[in-house]
Amino acid sequence: MTRLLPRWFVEHVNPVADEDDLPVSTLELFFDLIFVFTVAQFTAVIAYDPLIGLIQSVLMFGFLWWMYAGYSWLTNVIPPERPARRILLLCAMAGWLVVALTVPAAFASGSVWIAVGMLVVVLVHGLMYLQAARSFGPVFIANLAAVAAVFAAELGPEGAWRYSLWALAAVIVWSVPFWHGQRGLNLHPAHITERHGLVVIVALGESVVAIGIGARDLPVDADLLLAAVLGLAIGACMWWSLFVRDLPATEHRLTATTDAVKRVRKVLAGLSYAFIPVLLGILVFAAGLKHAVGHALSPLDVESTWLLSGGVAAFLVGTAGLRLAMPLPRPWERVALAAVVLALAPIGLVNTALQLGAITAVLVAALAWEGRAAAAPATRGSSPVRSG
């Protein structure tokens, strides 16, 4: 397939093979901001109709997250250092912007433009990646098949047809690792870890944006400030749970994995699959927080209480998946913590601030316990040996 590409494309986009220390570029940060606008749109969809909106968001996010992760892999092997690469990434960003703008209409009235945007995203990604690995050809074809399913979904009738075809698009792409051997692919551990971490950081910022949207036209009083501060505290705990130990340890584990295929499979399991609940959890929590702001001293509706606790619980389950994949210590403790947070949802039916405060207290206590448990082996190892 690469022989059919124009010579200009091959000469200007072909990757350099000897780049060991690969920093994340400012263009990649710009790219992440465009993608997170898409995440923000999902938050709005869920906040408008928690049940149906969540189903629609999960179906769409399945395909969209696969392609975002694909771009983090792409810039890992083809850094955007040449003008042609930068221009192509900017074209892909235009495709992502079209996708983000049309997310709210994808199931409501149908919008073929979301399929057009995804086609641009997939074409740029595939044609660039083929310059790094010819084994990517079958993956490119699978991505195009998923885009075809999206076109069929948006051009067809509403209802079950549209839902089933979006689900088919997600199944097509996420089945790729099961039949593709991952040979011929290689990844820089520091770069791939940082890229996935950065999109989580920007997505966490979405929870702060949710506070601002929820606070629009509201008086600055205890109802507003209490929910805003507690919401920020929960977001800070989510950041702490992932970035203080898990992601640095993930980079270390990936660096220690010298077999390229095993490294790729760890990235797939720990940073691609496991980050689905991580990111969905953030946007679900943000949707619940949008409803909670301004109502801290009053009861919350049932849907919003489950959005708050369910979003945090999903995030924690995702971090447990990361720990299992690398592997890192104590993954099942995160699953237990997620169950505890989920059980706190009914408290919001009594008082919103009580639920937010309870989630915050449980997270702080769990993180403090994790910190002591992680420090205990090091303390025992450094203790002096008494002479007899």
Side-chain angles (χ1 to χ4, degrees), residues 92-161:
M93 288 163 61
W96 278 117
L97 183 60
V98 171
V99 169
L101 290 170
T102 51
V103 158
F107 281 87
S109 58
S111 175
V112 72
W113 287 107
I114 193 170
V116 172
M118 287 308 299
L119 180 60
V120 172
V121 168
V122 168
L123 285 175
V124 172
H125 177 265
L127 293 176
M128 290 183 70
Y129 214 122
L130 282 171
Q131 302 308 303
R134 294 186 179 183
S135 60
F136 184 76
V139 182
F140 187 22
I141 294 172
N143 292 346
L144 289 172
V147 171
V150 174
F151 267 104
E154 297 303 313
L155 293 171
E158 297 182 27
W161 170 268

Side-chain angles (χ1 to χ4, degrees), residues 229-243:
V229 171
L230 288 173
L232 178 61
I234 293 172
C237 289
M238 294 165 77
W239 167 84
W240 195 294
S241 68
L242 182 63
F243 286 88

Side-chain angles (χ1 to χ4, degrees), residues 4 42 44 91-92 95 104 141 182 213 222 246 254 260 265 275 284 295 298 303 309 321 326-327 331 372:
L4 301 178
F42 286 133
C91 291
I141 294 172
Q182 291 93 49
I213 295 174
D246 287 4
L254 293 176
R265 289 175 180 172
F275 267 45
V284 168
H295 306 283
S298 58
E303 293 84 359
S309 287
M326 286 304 113
R372 287 195 296 269

Side-chain angles (χ1 to χ4, degrees), residues 257-282:
T257 305
T258 55
D259 183 272
V261 173
K262 290 182 179 179
R263 179 185 291 173
V264 166
R265 289 175 180 172
K266 283 185 176 182
V267 171
L268 277 169
L271 295 177
S272 294
Y273 285 96
F275 267 45
I276 294 175
V278 164
L279 286 164
L280 281 174
I282 293 171

